[in-house]
Amino acid sequence: MASTESPSTGPLRWQCEDLITTVVLDRPQRRNALDSATVQALMQLALAPPPGTAVFLLAAEGPHFCAGLDLAEHVALKRGPEEFFQLCRLWHTAFDALQQGGVPVVASLHGAVLGGGLELAAVAHVRIADETAFFALPEGERGIFTGGGAIVRVARIVGTDRMTEMMLTGRVVDAQQALRMGLVHEVVEEGVALARARVLAQKIARNARATNRAIVTALPRIAGMSHSDGLYMEALVAAHVQATGEVHERLTQFLQRKAGH
Ligand code: 1HE
């Protein structure tokens, strides 16, 4: 039988319990910088979620969520253009699998959410930050470029103009600013983001599975379609969700809620 818990060693630890698979970036000594092993592990989880997973809850150990690309590994491997292209494609595959794999992702953010860390956070469908969270795209300072999808995902959230300014200036955005920009959906007191994110994950897990799947797989695709194609696709998706059978049971339950049934 497939495991519901991660092996005891590795860059990530995860556990599936009550429909929620909590995934924790677990290299605090490196500020959870994303090395290839971490991205591979995220991809494996996204492509083959532990049995029973209705929602992924993404969090991180230590004082920071994620310091982005593992710069030490990058330097040690002396990646040239071809190697960096391949690495970016790995990140794209892994992050697309997480964002559009059919399982909603709720992220708990704190401390640094930088570069690739922000690219990973942007994959999450619901983003809860505590007051310590700060966000930046310091690629310009480091002499590199975004490679984990920020150019599409972060730009769609904050707008190309805002993202250009963030990249050029390296501006550090605090949690309240991030809330105003839509980078996060809610800001909570220091230390309680994970608890709040878990409450929301539990709420999402109670939704009809087919509706959740349709939300996270269809919306990003429809966003890239023309008006009329988008509406046509909406009707197809609605028909598909309707066909799962759960809808009638749930609607009947709702309609009978006052009748003491
Ligand atoms: C790292 C990394 C890393 C820390 N790769 N090792 N990302 C950045 O440019 C962010 C770089 N990091 C920072 O700005 C700071 O480390 C933090 C604000 C995140 C945290 O500061 P602090 O004072 O808590 O920790 P620290 O002392 O800076 O770092 C602790 C250790 O983690 C230290 O190693 P040590 O051996 O000296 O203990 C750091 O070297 C190490 N560390 N960040 C590797 N990123 C696909 S393209 C994506 C493009 C990007 O992501 S660009 C953004 C890169």
Side-chain angles (χ1 to χ4, degrees):
M1 201 179 103
S3 173
T4 55
E5 215 171 308
S6 55
S8 52
T9 57
L12 292 180
R13 54 172 214 274
W14 54 264
Q15 189 179 24
C16 181
E17 206 177 343
D18 297 334
L19 302 176
I20 295 169
T21 294
T22 305
V23 182
V24 181
L25 304 176
D26 199 13
R27 295 202 314 145
Q29 70 285 4
R30 290 267 149 239
R31 304 304 183 251
N32 299 315
L34 298 171
D35 61 354
S36 303
T38 309
V39 178
Q40 293 272 8
L42 285 168
M43 183 164 72
Q44 277 163 22
L45 269 180
L47 293 175
T53 302
V55 180
F56 280 123
L57 176 56
L58 179 62
E61 192 61 58
H64 299 285
F65 176 72
C66 176
L69 175 68
D70 188 319
L71 302 172
E73 182 188 66
H74 197 61
V75 170
L77 293 178
K78 295 191 173 66
R79 288 193 185 106
E82 178 58 24
E83 289 83 10
F84 196 40
F85 176 81
Q86 295 301 345
L87 182 81
C88 293
R89 298 303 289 156
L90 169 72
W91 283 46
H92 291 160
T93 307
F95 288 8
D96 274 357
L98 268 174
Q99 191 192 28
Q100 299 184 18
V103 177
V105 181
V106 180
S108 161
L109 307 171
H110 68 283
V113 186
L114 302 180
L118 178 50
E119 295 184 298
L120 175 59
V123 157
H125 306 99
V126 177
R127 300 178 293 278
I128 307 302
D130 82 9
E131 288 163 344
T132 68
F134 58 96
F135 304 78
L137 292 167
E139 282 80 357
E141 265 178 81
R142 307 281 174 261
I144 49 180
F145 196 70
T146 61
I151 213 74
V152 177
R153 265 184 279 267
V154 176
R156 281 202 179 135
I157 295 170
V158 302
T160 301
D161 175 71
R162 230 23 244 258
M163 180 166 161
T164 306
E165 190 268 348
M166 279 179 74
M167 285 193 77
L168 286 173
T169 64
R171 181 186 298 283
V172 177
V173 170
D174 67 22
Q176 289 300 337
Q177 284 174 294
L179 182 64
R180 288 195 291 275
M181 290 164 69
L183 271 178
V184 301
H185 300 108
E186 196 175 323
V187 176
V188 294
E189 278 172 30
E190 178 173 355
V192 301
L194 182 55
R196 176 63 183 148
R198 188 175 295 282
V199 167
L200 293 172
Q202 285 161 344
K203 170 90 171 65
I204 294 167
R206 290 195 293 272
N207 291 342
R209 199 72 71 90
T211 312
N212 278 347
R213 189 178 303 115
I215 292 167
V216 300
T217 57
L219 259 70
R221 288 181 173 83
I222 290 174
M225 290 180 185
S226 69
H227 178 89
S228 67
D229 288 349
L231 295 184
Y232 184 72
M233 185 57 74
E234 181 188 53
L236 287 179
V237 172
H240 172 74
V241 171
Q242 181 82 11
T244 63
E246 218 182 320
V247 60
H248 289 294
E249 195 185 314
R250 283 178 176 251
L251 294 186
T252 306
Q253 268 173 17
F254 174 77
L255 294 171
Q256 292 179 345
R257 73 197 184 286
K258 289 185 189 150
H261 290 277

